[in-house]
Amino acid sequence: MAMPLRQSIKVATYLFEQKLRKREKFPLIVELEPLFACNLACEGCGKIQHPAGVLKQRMPVAQAVGAVLESGAPMVSIAGGEPLMHPQIDEIVRQLVAKKKYVFLCTNAMLMRKKLDKFTPSPYFAFAVHIDGLRERHDESVAKEGVFDEAVAAMKEAKARGFRVTTNSTFFNTDTPQTIIEVLNYLNDDLKVDEMMISPAYAYEKAPDQEHFLGVDQTRELFKKAFAGGNRARWRLNHSPLFLDFLEGKADFPCTAWAIPNYSLFGWQRPCYLMSDGYVPTYRQLIEETDWEKYGRGKDPRCANCMAHCGYEPTAVLATMGSLKESLRAARETISSNR
């Protein structure tokens, strides 16, 4: 688990406070989407299918920051669309960092080098670059040549300027254990990014490509083989040990989508950013007026093959906090990765 020690301590303290307050549902990280527009047309994403009028909208800074503060979450993942297309994205980041929120700016990196001067390195801020494979595989997934090379150049420059750089990789049924090993080895050993997130592709209903999402059994077999030979321990993966156990079938959990809520131009989305069963204007309404018990594998057919981190990573984190053995295991991995 490659989360920085300072961040790990803050998150652990936050979780302990929720337990003391006896809060049953609370956010771990907010998925903030201040726009839906993007400069790419990835086959696994349906955000740019919104009407032209919606794609032109940009969330005001005060609204974006206010939503995060309303939730109380210690971490924020800013996505979209492509957030670097937002003219005030640097101000959104600046204000959230000033509030000591840990901010991950998710980007395809096409605009990253042009925008670096707008940001300041901080232990509370990281670029999270989406990389789905090495050059040919990644460019195919985003339907445009040259994107991989530009992303690599942007990450190298950001690292040289002192920014924290992380990656987020989604894997499909066209992947093999070897393609996963190759890209994670490259990111971990050659680019030396600070940490990496991974997720099996979920059948996002608006995605243009509906043929290449993974099933549960496929996911477990894929990651079990990719993690073999010491890879899992060697890679700087930004996941709890129990979530990695979950990916390779050593553990199973219910979905806790309420722990990673999504806020976009439409409001708070039910129940998660991958499924849309309506929106509400306040975080409190999202938590109190959503029937969370009806979602998850075995309950909602749409969730049958979902093993995405937005639903299951928080469950793994909560299970870790509820077990002394798992807490010590996570602490050992955090300390080891920060040496």
Side-chain angles (χ1 to χ4, degrees):
M1 182 171 158
M3 184 184 291
L5 186 58
R6 179 190 297 184
Q7 184 178 347
S8 297
I9 292 172
K10 181 168 182 175
V11 172
T13 302
Y14 169 80
L15 291 172
F16 184 67
E17 290 173 349
Q18 308 315 304
K19 186 175 182 178
L20 287 179
R21 295 175 183 177
K22 298 183 178 180
R23 294 180 65 187
E24 293 184 358
K25 293 181 173 61
F26 48 85
L28 189 60
I29 182 170
V30 169
E31 295 267 1
L32 177 66
E33 294 179 327
L35 80 172
F36 292 128
C38 189
N39 48 4
L40 291 177
C42 304
E43 294 182 352
C45 175
K47 297 294 183 180
I48 62 172
Q49 293 184 10
H50 288 292
V54 173
L55 294 179
K56 292 178 181 179
Q57 294 180 32
R58 305 291 184 263
M59 187 181 293
V61 174
Q63 181 181 346
V65 175
V68 175
L69 297 181
E70 176 196 2
S71 75
M75 299 181 288
V76 188
S77 174
I78 305 179
E82 170 51 55
L84 288 177
M85 292 176 64
H86 193 297
Q88 295 176 292
I89 189 61
D90 55 317
E91 182 61 17
I92 293 175
V93 169
R94 189 193 68 78
Q95 291 194 25
L96 289 171
V97 167
K99 298 292 185 181
K100 295 188 176 181
K101 302 294 183 182
Y102 284 93
V103 180
F104 295 84
L105 194 155
C106 304
T107 176
N108 57 40
M110 293 296 287
L111 297 172
M112 193 165 146
R113 286 198 287 177
K114 296 178 182 178
K115 303 282 187 176
L116 278 179
D117 288 338
K118 291 180 173 289
F119 300 92
T120 303
S122 166
Y124 289 95
F125 174 66
F127 287 103
V129 180
H130 201 94
I131 298 290
D132 282 346
L134 296 180
R135 181 180 292 108
E136 182 178 352
R137 195 167 196 81
H138 180 70
D139 286 356
E140 180 182 7
S141 73
V142 301
K144 186 174 182 178
E145 292 184 2
V147 175
F148 178 83
D149 289 339
E150 177 58 34
V152 168
M155 286 190 282
K156 287 181 176 179
E157 184 169 341
K159 288 280 290 180
R161 293 199 193 188
F163 288 97
R164 289 185 64 229
V165 176
T166 69
T167 56
N168 187 10
S169 300
T170 304
F171 297 110
F172 297 79
N173 66 11
T174 50
D175 279 293
T176 66
Q178 188 57 35
T179 62
I180 294 177
I181 290 168
E182 288 172 355
V183 68
L184 295 184
N185 276 346
Y186 179 74
L187 297 172
N188 191 83
D189 302 335
D190 297 323
L191 286 187
K192 293 180 170 56
V193 300
D194 293 281
E195 55 196 35
M196 302 175 291
M197 290 187 65
I198 57 177
S199 185
Y202 165 74
Y204 179 55
E205 61 184 358
K206 291 186 177 180
D209 181 0
Q210 290 287 321
E211 298 179 3
H212 297 118
F213 294 107
L214 287 161
V216 172
D217 291 339
Q218 287 178 297
T219 296
R220 289 170 175 165
E221 187 67 18
L222 186 65
F223 285 105
K224 181 180 180 179
K225 291 179 178 178
F227 288 161
N231 286 329
R232 172 174 158 174
R234 184 173 58 82
W235 289 329
R236 291 183 296 280
L237 297 172
N238 184 22
H239 294 289
S240 64
L242 277 178
F243 179 72
L244 298 178
D245 287 350
F246 170 75
L247 286 183
E248 58 177 312
K250 293 180 178 179
D252 201 10
F253 301 111
C255 173
T256 49
W258 47 262
I260 305 186
N262 173 274
Y263 185 78
S264 71
L265 293 165
F266 299 144
W268 294 98
Q269 181 173 326
R270 291 173 169 156
C272 64
Y273 83 99
L274 292 169
M275 291 167 55
S276 182
D277 283 355
Y279 300 84
V280 291
T282 69
Y283 173 74
R284 183 173 179 176
Q285 285 177 273
L286 175 73
I287 295 300
E288 295 182 356
E289 299 177 10
T290 303
D291 184 2
W292 299 102
E293 295 302 318
K294 73 178 185 180
Y295 296 105
R297 284 187 286 117
K299 298 178 180 179
D300 188 314
R302 296 172 297 176
C303 304
N305 289 310
C306 181
M307 295 181 71
H309 63 83
C310 64
Y312 296 96
E313 176 75 83
T315 324
V317 170
L318 294 173
T320 298
M321 292 296 294
S323 165
L324 178 59
K325 177 182 176 181
E326 293 299 335
S327 295
L328 291 173
R329 177 189 178 197
R332 284 196 300 269
E333 293 195 14
T334 298
I335 293 171
S336 175
S337 66
N338 280 276
R339 287 176 179 171

